[in-house]
Amino acid sequence: MSGPPDEFAWIARGLAPLAEGAAEAFGLIDDAAAIPSRPGFDLIVSKDAIVEGVHFLPTDPPDLIARKLLRVNLSDLAAKGADPYGYFLAIAWPANYGWPEREAFARGLAEDQARFGLKLFGGDTVATPGPLTASLTIFGWTPAERMVRRAGARPGDVILATGTIGDGYLGLLSAKGLSVGNSYIQAEWLADRYRLPRPRLGLRQALRDHAHAALDVSDGLIADADKLARASGVGLEIDLDRMPLSEPAAAWLARAADRTAALVELATGGDDYEIVCAVSPEDAPALLAAATEAGIALAPIGSAHAGAGVRVSVAGREVKVARAGYVHT
């Protein structure tokens, strides 16, 4: 079948299979879903949207776009310490998205919702003359009053970051065809990190148990650390020499003419979808041990203190950062 499908045919053929097994969704034949209460738990709700040309490239395959949409939302749940539950989906399809493209999109959703334990509960689908735009509202559970907030960091806390920083930014450059890796394999690895974030769900229990505050790194490490600092009413010291880097990012840094400027570039580029968190020095070893057990890299990158804002340093010297990260306008 070719050409753009009508809304009801697309829901029945493309989306209804994604709701199979979810009694809450009523087979997507109703106008709403019913989310039951769960005694002793809080329902955690988050929402992120992605737009062609802003969050993904026009040439990116539809299945990878769908998987990125799920994963950027799952990253928010991971930072809150929440267990994935389900989601609502809204898509504005441009004219060039016919049956093949939409079915590929649905396959991507099916692959990752099976991987992460999610079901589709409902949503909306419309046409648009503009670029592909997709929005996802995601639900998760935490034990009552155990969601990890941005607020809560305390003076003396250790600041840690998961995974590696800067790969999303370099991956975007690589996906655009720019030379950022030492080899084709490195360039493709970086592009994959941009297209497919790794939500750190394996750390959610440990964050609930030990973290005072956390959020996911989407707009850039420094920008998102500043959000944590503002919400918590503390100041942060971030040492970019301690920022965890992948092998391709370290190789890119080694070729940079200005190491300090390059470190700032990695720390402000965004699209990493890692977690930055604050934990007491006493609890830091337990959180680090839990991360090791979960197979998730976790590294101390700074500390919290009484004050405000984020102080960034390289080689022990403060660095002034003109642009902390991506700004949504």
Side-chain angles (χ1 to χ4, degrees):
M1 187 179 293
S2 60
D6 68 74
E7 177 184 6
F8 300 107
W10 160 242
I11 292 172
R13 178 171 163 179
L15 297 181
L18 302 178
E20 289 179 359
E24 301 91 336
F26 307 115
L28 301 187
I29 63 173
D30 216 313
D31 289 331
I35 307 299
S37 61
R38 189 179 178 189
F41 287 80
D42 289 333
L43 183 63
I44 309 304
V45 184
S46 186
K47 184 182 186 68
D48 265 324
I50 60 174
V51 180
E52 180 181 309
V54 179
H55 303 94
F56 59 91
L57 300 179
T59 54
D60 284 344
D63 61 321
L64 295 189
I65 296 169
R67 294 174 68 191
K68 182 169 188 176
L69 175 64
L70 265 181
R71 290 176 180 222
V72 301
N73 281 273
L74 283 162
S75 183
D76 280 324
L77 287 191
K80 301 299 98 185
D83 300 326
Y85 173 45
Y87 65 99
F88 283 85
L89 176 69
I91 312 176
W93 297 110
N96 63 316
Y97 269 74
W99 275 110
E101 292 78 17
R102 297 190 193 194
E103 289 181 322
F105 192 94
R107 285 195 301 272
L109 290 176
E111 179 177 346
D112 267 5
Q113 74 172 42
R115 182 190 305 270
F116 296 110
L118 291 162
K119 293 292 184 182
L120 175 65
F121 292 156
D124 194 18
T125 175
V126 298
T128 177
L132 174 65
T133 302
S135 175
L136 192 146
T137 302
I138 199 163
F139 298 86
W141 298 105
T142 66
E145 300 182 4
R146 294 288 304 281
M147 186 187 87
V148 185
R149 299 180 56 202
R150 291 181 180 182
R154 307 166 190 173
D157 278 355
V158 179
I159 306 302
L160 304 102
T162 64
T164 51
I165 301 298
D167 296 330
Y169 166 69
L170 293 179
L172 172 59
L173 299 182
S174 180
K176 288 181 173 179
L178 301 178
S179 178
V180 293
N182 278 351
S183 66
Y184 174 80
I185 292 175
Q186 283 193 351
E188 287 298 298
W189 185 89
L190 288 167
D192 180 71
R193 290 286 281 122
Y194 168 72
R195 293 189 175 105
L196 285 180
R198 275 65 166 173
R200 302 304 183 182
L201 290 161
L203 206 58
R204 60 191 187 275
Q205 177 67 56
L207 288 173
R208 291 200 301 259
D209 290 343
H210 303 295
H212 291 158
L215 80 166
D216 79 325
V217 179
S218 55
D219 295 330
L221 174 64
I222 297 174
D224 289 314
D226 185 64
K227 294 171 190 173
L228 187 149
R230 290 173 183 269
S232 297
V234 298
L236 299 185
E237 303 275 344
I238 302 296
D239 182 355
L240 296 189
D241 289 312
R242 303 175 72 186
M243 183 171 65
L245 301 177
S246 66
E247 182 179 336
W252 177 86
L253 178 65
R255 298 194 305 271
D258 185 332
R259 182 175 182 274
T260 296
L263 281 169
V264 170
E265 200 171 344
L266 294 175
T268 58
D271 278 312
D272 286 310
Y273 297 99
E274 297 292 349
I275 294 174
V276 62
C277 62
V279 60
S280 71
E282 295 77 18
D283 280 350
L287 184 59
L288 287 162
T292 299
E293 184 175 350
I296 297 173
L298 184 65
I301 59 168
S303 60
H305 59 84
V310 177
R311 180 183 181 273
V312 178
S313 66
V314 175
R317 296 181 180 180
E318 183 174 2
V319 176
K320 297 299 181 182
V321 178
R323 175 184 172 277
Y326 184 81
V327 177
H328 301 269
T329 56

